[in-house]
């Protein structure tokens, strides 16, 4: 395995950190749920909106359901201030053993500042976003175009994701997938990953020489 | 307008009637949410599972999250025993004025017994299901193949649905859409229907001579 491709939201960064800042987990769960729902619906319809637009639209819906007394622009900035899971820093132990990329639904303009903010940008050889194919995960196009982008066959690449639909999408596109199952979630949609780990520590140990 | 095409779940039949029978709305909301989520993910990946299979898979997930002491087969039967919204019987007033069809994600084997159970089958000229295209709403394929099936152009057909993603899908495929917005839900995904009504009574009044 020459390449690991990392999902961002829920895998490297904790979306629930927004809920902790706001003191309202339900609101953030609805926001995140609608954000994903809209990416799927747009992709099925062959339409494109940037992840920032999708996130804002989901926020506006969630704000009509909950009453949070914060301006939209301030809440949108929370996506660029998400907290990484603390074990993400262990990825430094893989530098030199595998090439690492980011493979994300997020816009470059959202993801790159987030990586830089936490000193994580230099871990990765590149950032590949859904913008390049104008379709969201788990569209086969995103995984296949990523393989072209890095110039490797699916057999040399493994996606690492906490999101079961992302694991499903990678497998469906012929890419190896490791499920970073942080919460011990039950299997969904009959998805079987090539490996399951509970933490980045578990992941790193798979690649010990 | 020569043809009205009706969505079934949430539009003619009340999915929440399962929650009322069980005395647990949260469980049924999760079941329904996962059912829809799986239809979207499968469609994006170009994979097919019958709606019954999808519904059972969503049920098994919801059962791991809630502890409901009922067997899977009994709960699955609830989908064939859903209650119609009481205003659905007003559709009889449209017979002879427009042709009416069912246009649904549900399997024929789930939907036809449901219509018969409540004496609604004879209202409709036909039942068109996602099985025929092996893709779920809002895939353009389901709306376009439906037009071929009934032999009418999009300009002579209007979808009636309570589900915003279904309204979006019809519009995206060039079909007129009436949003039966029973709960007065806020707009989502920037979807604009050709008309919005709050009940079947409102719909029928649009077609008064």
């Amino acid at each position: 395995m020459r390449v690991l491709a990392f999902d961002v939201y829920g895998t490297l960064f904790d979306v629930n950190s927004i809920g902790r800042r706001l003191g309202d987990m339900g609101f953030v769960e609805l926001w995140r749920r609608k954000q994903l729902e809209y990416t799927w619906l747009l992709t099925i319809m062959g339409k494109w909106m940037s992840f920032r637009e999708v996130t804002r639209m989901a926020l506006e819906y969630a704000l009509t359901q909950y009453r949070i007394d914060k301006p939209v622009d301030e809440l949108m900035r929370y996506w660029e201030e998400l907290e990484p899971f603390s074990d993400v820093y262990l990825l430094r132990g893989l530098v030199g053993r595998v090439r690492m990329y980011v493979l994300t639904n997020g816009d470059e303009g959202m993801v790159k500042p987030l990586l830089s903010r936490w000193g994580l940008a230099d871990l990765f050889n590149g950032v590949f976003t859904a913008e390049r194919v104008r379709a969201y995960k788990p569209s086969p196009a995103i995984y296949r175009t990523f393989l072209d982008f890095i110039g490797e066959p699916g057999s040399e690449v493994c996606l690492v994701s906490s999101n079961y639909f992302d694991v499903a999408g990678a497998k469906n596109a012929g890419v190896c997938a490791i499920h970073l199952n942080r919460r011990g979630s039950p299997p969904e949609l009959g998805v079987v990953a090539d490996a399951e780990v509970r933490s980045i520590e578990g992941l790193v140990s798979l690649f010990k020489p």
Side-chain angles (χ1 to χ4, degrees), chain A:
Chain A
M1 194 62 52
R2 287 198 286 249
V3 174
L4 287 177
F6 290 86
D7 173 56
V8 169
Y9 302 120
T11 300
L12 299 179
F13 289 88
D14 187 0
V15 174
N16 290 331
S17 64
I18 298 179
R20 289 194 298 270
R21 280 177 72 171
L22 287 170
D24 190 334
M25 302 309 281
F27 169 75
V28 176
E29 270 169 37
L30 179 62
W31 185 4
R32 169 68 168 159
R33 175 147 58 84
K34 284 289 167 181
Q35 180 196 51
L36 287 172
E37 183 171 316
Y38 296 166
T39 61
W40 296 329
L41 294 172
L42 290 165
T43 299
I44 291 169
M45 293 190 286
K47 293 174 93 168
W48 174 252
M49 276 182 207
S50 74
F51 199 66
R52 193 183 295 276
E53 287 176 275
V54 166
T55 302
R56 185 179 287 268
M57 207 166 253
L59 172 58
E60 282 162 1
Y61 179 83
L63 285 172
T64 64
Q65 303 292 337
Y66 285 73
R67 292 287 158 211
I68 306 277
D69 188 23
K70 297 252 186 207
V72 166
D73 287 344
E74 182 180 332
L75 288 166
M76 284 296 293
R77 271 199 302 279
Y78 282 30
W79 284 87
E80 282 160 39
E81 297 170 1
L82 286 177
E83 290 169 19
F85 290 101
S86 57
D87 59 4
V88 166
Y89 291 93
L90 298 174
L91 287 178
R92 211 158 286 284
L94 289 178
V95 171
R97 273 191 234 154
V98 290
R99 272 152 58 213
M100 293 188 279
Y101 287 85
V102 161
L103 175 52
T104 177
N105 272 344
D107 298 344
E108 257 191 50
M110 293 174 78
V111 171
K112 284 187 168 175
L114 185 61
L115 295 171
S116 297
R117 177 186 181 86
W118 297 97
L120 294 164
D122 69 326
L123 285 178
F124 300 101
N125 291 71
V127 172
F128 188 92
T129 72
E131 289 164 300
R132 290 175 187 262
V133 295
R134 297 172 73 85
Y136 288 106
K137 297 176 179 181
S139 169
I142 189 166
Y143 307 99
R144 290 180 186 153
T145 312
F146 171 72
L147 294 181
D148 291 345
F149 172 76
I150 61 168
E152 293 282 356
S155 57
E156 287 298 330
V157 178
C158 209
L159 173 80
V160 179
S161 182
S162 297
N163 294 301
Y164 80 96
F165 65 84
D166 197 10
V167 173
K171 293 303 299 173
N172 182 56
V175 178
C176 155
I178 297 173
H179 190 192
L180 176 50
N181 193 354
R182 293 186 177 277
R183 297 188 193 180
S185 300
E188 291 193 62
L189 258 182
V191 173
V192 181
D194 293 282
E196 181 172 316
V197 293
R198 289 295 172 95
S199 64
I200 299 275
E201 190 171 6
L203 176 73
V204 171
S205 71
L206 291 181
F207 290 85
K208 278 269 163 69

